[in-house]
Structure formats: structure tokens, C-alpha cells
Amino acid sequence: DGVLSFSRSMINSSDKIIRKGGSSIFQHRAEDWKINSSLVVEIRKNILQFLDAERDVSVVKSSFKPGDVIHYVLDRRRTLNISQDLHSLLPEVSPMKNRRFKTCAVVGNSGVLLKSGCGKEIDSHDFVIRCNLAPVMEYAADVGTKSDFITMNPSVVQRAFGSFRNESDKEKFVHRLSMLNDSVLWIPAFMVKGGEKHVEWVNALILKNKLKVRTAYPSLRLIHAVRGYWLTNKVHIKRPSTGLLMYTLATRFCDEIHLYGFWPFPKDLHGKPVKYHYYDDLKYRYFSNASPHRMPLEFKTLYVLHNRGALKLTTGKCI
Ligand code: CTP
């Protein structure tokens, strides 16, 4: 059994609290939250039995040669060719090698961030992780701007940059990446078939514009390893969301992990509507079984960890 032993009753009781609403959701007031360092160390040790973020955060150049054929991680019958461009963008060594931080922020994309005023606090962390190339400039007061590590599902090219149909979409994209300087851009390119064109376009733009961003492409085993870890803790998650993947990876190199923008519910605790994303109008079927993710279950898990001092979840305003 996993050390955390998320019993069914723990999950169910947090379920009730969330459904009932009310500010009793968190056992501690934000000021009373305290890190439980021995639990942090224990979780890190346990996760290390399944994956090593330093290694699994990205494949490296020596893992492949151009022309190699690999099977998609979640779609084994389909294959992908490692192109010359992709190969040239694989890092020589892990971009997270020997990197350790006192405090890290993992920023999810929930609309709960709007009017939170959390920007300054987020930017004060030593290392800031963001998801899916979420825009920051227009929302700086609530989300901050520092981005040391940012993920990009291939579908972002279509969703946020019009599949580069217009020159202006391309320019907007190149501008966004150039703002990242030499931060890590993490592209899950080997998960499922469908995004390979997008990944190739992105790679070509990075090379053509000589962008400094440090590309990383998660290892073929990462998602299975992450799922395995949570399964042993009785959290049955078929496809961990980007946010949960980031928390799991961050346990390797951060002593204190603060989560913002995690709120996979259509309403806040006072019954006011909350946007799915803080920056677009995407609608999401939070509770649908058709969705590959189980964000509400993930949230409850993170909430249990918050109450035990393993991480800090912020879902309200930052003062
Ligand atoms: N998130 C959340 N509540 C929301 C939206 C997002 O908790 N209302 C968290 C999730 O952990 C999510 C992360 O923020 O993974 C980033 O959001 P998004 O870009 O939507 O995540 P993906 O998991 O990549 O979603 P999808 O596969 O649908 O693109």
C-alpha cells in the first residue's frame, strides 16, 4: 500500500465538503498552513520508485537517431518517425539535471485565478511551472509572468494559434516563445497520434527563428510511471492531467510546492460561475466519463495532500 493511503472515506468526505460548498473546504486557514517536510521527503522517495523526474522529464539526443520509428505511448498501434528537426531539438542532457529549488509554483489554468491577485506571490517562487502556453501578460496581476517551465500539448497550436493558418498566428506564437527566453518548453509529442504536424511546425519555427527556448519531450514511460504511482495510492487515474503530471515531477526538485489555478468545478464556493480556463471560453464536461481526465478526483487527492502539509493549494485570493 502507498504511504498516503487515500481511503475511500477520505475521498468521499472531501467530495461532500466540495458539493456542500462553504469555506470549510480547507481545514486550515491559509496563514495556518505548514509544510510537513518529512511527508514531502517520503512522497519524493516513493515517487522515485516509479519515475525519476530528472530522467523522465525528457528523452535526450542519444536515445534516438533521425529516422527512428517509435510507437505512441497511448496508441501503440500507431507510429511516429523521429525527424531531423525533432532530433536536433532533443536536449543533450536533462534540462532538469541537478536543479533544486526551495519553493516552486505549479500554475493550473482554472478561471479561479481571475481576480485572485496572486501574480506577485506566484512570481516570488524560485521556479514557476505553467501549462499549455497559457497567456500571462494580459493577466499578470492574477497569474504573474515568470515561467521557468511551460508545457504545450500539440493541440494548443490549433486551439490558441489557429493551426498557423495566418501569418499573424505564427508571429503571435513566435513572440510568445521568444518571451520565454531559455525556459523549458515541454512538449508531449509521443502520447497520441494526431498532433505530429503541429509538433513539426513548432519545431521548424523554433529552428528558423533561432529561439532560445529549451525544448523537452517527455519520456515514453513517464505517463505509465505517474499513473502507477497514483494507483498504488488508490487514486485511479487513467490519464493524469498536465497539472497532476507537473506536481508529480516537481516533487523531485522542489522542497515546497504551491499550486494555483487548480479548480475543476463550474462554480466557486459561493456559487458563482468559474471559467474552465482563465484565458479562453473553452467549456469542459468536468464530470463526464467521456473525458480522459478525472480532474475532480485529482483535486480531491491534492486537497488531502494540502491538509497534510505536503503541498499548498491556493484557490482563493492572495493577500
Ligand atoms: N486545471 C484545474 N481546473 C480547471 C482547469 C485546469 O484544476 N478548471 C488544472 C489541471 O490540473 C490541468 C491544468 O490545470 O491539467 C492545466 O489546464 P489545461 O491546460 O486545461 O490542462 P490539460 O490537462 O492539458 O487539459 P487537456 O488535456 O484537456 O488539454
Side-chain angles (χ1 to χ4, degrees), residues 108-110 131-132 153 159 241-243 262-264 276-277 293 295:
N109 285 333
S110 166
C131 302
N132 284 319
N153 288 347
R159 277 194 201 158
S241 74
T242 305
F262 283 68
W263 187 259
Y276 177 61
H277 283 159
H293 297 312
M295 286 189 200

Side-chain angles (χ1 to χ4, degrees), residues 23-94:
S23 48
S24 63
I25 181 166
F26 294 114
Q27 277 170 21
H28 313 291
R29 287 182 307 154
E31 311 88 83
D32 299 336
W33 178 89
K34 250 186 78 201
I35 187 89
N36 180 343
S37 298
S38 54
L39 181 58
V40 167
V41 168
E42 185 135 19
I43 291 174
R44 178 181 300 142
K45 203 175 77 196
N46 284 312
I47 291 180
L48 268 166
Q49 291 179 359
F50 289 82
L51 66 135
D52 180 352
E54 259 194 13
R55 186 188 61 217
D56 289 313
V57 71
S58 183
V59 292
V60 290
K61 236 189 213 19
S62 57
S63 331
F64 300 119
K65 327 181 272 314
D68 277 356
V69 174
I70 60 168
H71 290 265
Y72 282 101
V73 173
L74 299 172
D75 194 0
R76 298 278 308 151
R77 282 170 307 172
R78 309 204 183 226
T79 56
L80 167 78
N81 280 343
I82 303 288
S83 69
Q84 194 79 50
D85 276 2
L86 177 57
H87 189 259
S88 71
L89 286 170
L90 298 181
E92 302 273 353
V93 293
S94 166

